[in-house]
Amino acid sequence: MSFLRVSGTKIVDGEGKEVILHGAGLGGWMTMENFISGYPGCEFQIREALAEAIGKEKSEYFFDKFLEYFFAEPDAAFFKSLGLNCIRIAVNYRHFEDNDNPRVLKPEGFRHLDRVIEACAKHSIYTIIDMHTAPGGQNGGWHSDAGVHIAGFWKHKDFQDRLVWLWTEVARHYAKNPWVAGYNPMNEPADPKGTGLVQFYDRVYAAIRSVDPDHMLFLDGNTYSIDFSAFPDDAKDRWQNTAYAIHDYAIYGFPKSPEPYARTPEQLQKMKDTYKRKRAWMDARGLCVWNGEWGPVYARREYDGDQTDDINERRYNVLKDQLDIYRVDKLSWSIWLYKDIGFQGMVYVSRDTPYMKRFETFLARKFRLAVDAWGTNDRYVKQCYQPIVDLIKDSIAEPNRHLYPPIWSLEDRVARLSRTMLVAEYMVKEWADTLKGLSEAELDEIAASFKFENCLKRDGLNKVLTDHAASFKGSI
């Protein structure tokens, strides 16, 4: 079997036949995220808190079982049944290296990753390894698992050295595996200057190529994968066998949509223009584009009541219309995401499972307090934080209120620092304490809630994806 590779603007197989990758992100697994599995704050916080609450041995047992159950053979079989062919696996660097023991590889980090890649290969599913977190944090989001809003990765060369080293080890490990489609060296970088990202890509490209000349690279644009303005004009020759990753989330697929999505010509044109603007740099240079993340979030009856079905029908329409836009370019994409507890996943944990029952009250309060940044609805608490926004507006001159990253409004910045970091931090111990006093057998039962057989399918979403993929039948 030959490796996939980039040829001009296309991805092709060993015979030169075009391959269009249609798939999903396996987020929330080897990089846990708060909205995906229901905890507050960052992954490192809840891991530390659980070890303190129930002991290191039981904590490690629980998280290991979580990894075992979250994605297994039945998940791969179901995924393939939808006609999809690629899974982007989000990975936390902490599985392979400890901050207090840098540049010492933890071989056990490959155990679950190898297992999932093998399960996918058995069903002819390609995988893309996505380094979703970086030492020090490559952006100010919760998903970089740094716990701060300023990305330290760009301020300390040692953080950069460590990630280059780690990618050398990962690429060496998978160099001969053709079912690994390629490597996504950094998820959603946010380098205020842009030049640091280019320098990092130069270094990580050289490091990977020193041990693996064959696999594709998927390089995210700057500022959360939307800005390529600092990238070099000679990228095609400088970084060969490389696709360029945009993330194309449409505002109409989220609670903060400026208006209900009605498929008006104006709304459709806005989505199309946004997408075209993100890929314009690559199109001008004849480069390959890959949409590494996109997709709406969905209403939940326990929170959105009678409006749930109407909201979700509009979100499915956003989904369909984005795919129609992508169809013209025969775009390869990876929707966010495969599995969660009911907000965005193609499959989601049933409300009747031990995990969801145990955390039901906690999750409801977490929703009301809006402690997650992703797709949040702040209707219950907005009035609490508005005075902070007003104070800044009244006290700071307008030109000085424009900080990096520009995609964060003043309101977003206040929310991230106050709600999603400060308030979330106060909820971490409570999340961990909810698992206190349980035996290993009971912890196993809680973790098993994430097994495929304990999940429900979001049929509306899956049908849209399947219908789109079927229209390209003939490509792998």
Side-chain angles (χ1 to χ4, degrees), residues 180-364:
V180 175
Y183 310 127
N184 191 187
M186 178 174 285
N187 174 67
E188 296 190 340
D191 170 22
K193 295 181 180 179
T195 54
L197 176 60
V198 173
Q199 291 168 6
F200 168 71
Y201 280 163
D202 277 339
R203 293 185 63 200
V204 79
Y205 176 86
I208 290 172
R209 289 289 178 249
S210 72
V211 296
D212 183 349
D214 297 314
H215 279 102
M216 293 185 291
L217 267 63
F218 297 84
L219 300 184
D220 280 32
N222 196 25
T223 313
Y224 295 83
S225 311
I226 63 172
D227 177 20
F228 295 85
S229 60
F231 279 38
D233 285 330
D234 65 345
K236 192 169 189 175
D237 295 322
R238 186 170 180 161
W239 302 323
Q240 295 181 21
N241 198 20
T242 294
Y244 295 81
I246 63 172
H247 288 184
D248 190 35
Y249 289 106
I251 185 63
Y252 299 116
F254 290 81
K256 287 188 176 180
S257 174
E259 58 191 357
Y261 188 63
R263 312 181 94 172
T264 67
E266 294 78 15
Q267 291 172 332
L268 287 164
Q269 190 63 47
K270 183 175 182 178
M271 286 202 301
K272 183 176 181 180
D273 289 347
T274 301
Y275 161 67
K276 288 293 187 182
R277 183 171 64 250
K278 290 175 182 176
R279 62 173 292 155
W281 187 87
M282 286 75 78
D283 287 341
R285 291 159 179 80
L287 300 173
C288 181
V289 180
W290 173 63
N291 186 4
E293 288 186 23
W294 65 286
V297 299
Y298 298 95
R300 294 160 287 186
R301 202 164 301 280
E302 61 266 38
Y303 304 138
D304 298 287
D306 293 341
Q307 300 181 60
T308 299
D309 292 340
D310 289 341
I311 292 171
N312 287 344
E313 188 59 35
R314 290 195 293 271
R315 302 280 166 81
Y316 292 142
N317 286 337
V318 172
L319 185 78
K320 293 173 186 175
D321 291 341
Q322 283 190 275
L323 285 171
D324 283 344
I325 293 170
Y326 301 158
R327 187 190 312 277
V328 175
D329 294 316
K330 299 172 75 174
L331 181 70
S332 287
W333 47 254
S334 180
I335 196 168
W336 194 254
L337 80 150
Y338 172 65
K339 183 185 286 185
D340 68 355
I341 59 170
F343 193 37
Q344 197 171 14
M346 296 162 59
V347 301
Y348 56 94
V349 180
S350 169
R351 303 292 186 269
D352 295 327
T353 56
Y355 183 91
M356 295 302 288
K357 287 180 177 179
R358 193 167 193 87
F359 285 97
E360 181 179 5
T361 302
F362 180 87
L363 289 171

Side-chain angles (χ1 to χ4, degrees), residues 121-136:
K122 180 179 177 181
H123 293 276
S124 302
I125 300 168
Y126 288 103
T127 47
I128 294 170
I129 301 173
D130 149 40
M131 198 63 69
H132 219 69
T133 74

Side-chain angles (χ1 to χ4, degrees), residues 66-86:
F66 172 85
L67 289 170
E68 178 183 338
Y69 296 146
F70 194 96
F71 193 95
E73 180 76 25
D75 293 280
F78 169 71
F79 192 85
K80 185 63 177 181
S81 76
L82 299 177
L84 304 178
N85 63 2
C86 188

